[in-house]
Amino acid sequence: MFGLARSSDLVKWSYKNIIITEHSIKAPVINAKEQRNTKNADISILELTSLDESNASICPVLHLSRYLKHSEQRRTVSSGDSVFILRDGNPVSVEYINSIVLSILSKSGIDITKFKSHSTRSAMASLLLSSNVPFHVVKKLGRWKSNDTVDNFYDKKIIGEKSGGFLNNVVQLS
């Protein structure tokens, strides 16, 4: 959620070209959505940035760094160029990532007949914008080319906060 990535982008995130620093992890990704629509899909950079120490328990850079270290011995030729792999070394599928997201949503009390795994992208973009994160930063994180796309589909009014709506169940404000 933090990186505003689609599940389809995560399975195409390049392991071989990953750059890990103390404050970020970034690597090229073939934009899966564009790849479906054109023959020459753009390659963009998917980047996760660190959170401050008070948020270490949810820091994507810290947890992904640990995952990469622990999964290193399982990587085989069949892993290909995938960042995320299964225990047998094979790359994860979009369906696998979606099932994890849906499981977390369900365990959080979210009605998964109404909200799907992609809803986390909209919720996080809306949260960032409502928290005064600059528009251009959110647009860059989501790797959107058009301001209109963000305005029309991702900058949503946050509702249901008092009733335990989607946003409060999935994204907790500190």
Side-chain angles (χ1 to χ4, degrees), residues 31-71:
N31 188 321
K33 186 174 182 182
E34 285 186 14
Q35 188 177 30
R36 292 188 304 253
N37 299 326
T38 64
K39 290 183 180 180
N40 297 321
D42 282 345
I43 296 178
S44 60
I45 301 297
L46 179 59
E47 182 174 6
L48 300 178
T49 54
S50 292
L51 298 175
D52 60 49
E53 289 182 18
S54 66
N55 290 308
S57 66
I58 59 168
C59 179
V61 172
L62 176 66
H63 289 285
L64 184 56
S65 295
R66 287 178 182 165
Y67 167 79
L68 292 170
K69 184 177 181 177
H70 291 297
S71 66

Side-chain angles (χ1 to χ4, degrees), residues 96-108:
Y96 183 81
I97 291 176
N98 285 342
S99 71
I100 292 170
V101 172
L102 289 174
S103 174
I104 291 169
L105 292 177
S106 180
K107 289 176 183 175
S108 299

Side-chain angles (χ1 to χ4, degrees), residues 109-167:
I110 305 301
D111 180 357
I112 60 174
T113 62
K114 183 176 180 183
F115 297 103
K116 302 299 178 197
S117 61
H118 191 74
S119 300
T120 58
R121 185 167 154 94
S122 181
M124 184 54 84
S126 297
L127 173 65
L128 292 172
L129 291 167
S130 71
S131 299
N132 298 318
V133 173
F135 184 88
H136 72 279
V137 172
V138 175
K139 182 180 170 189
K140 181 182 175 186
L141 274 172
R143 298 176 336 279
W144 291 293
K145 292 181 180 178
S146 162
N147 289 354
D148 289 342
T149 300
V150 181
D151 286 338
N152 293 332
F153 301 106
Y154 296 98
D155 188 7
K156 301 295 181 190
K157 181 180 176 187
I158 298 174
I159 58 173
E161 292 183 50
K162 291 182 181 176
S163 63
F166 175 81
L167 187 65

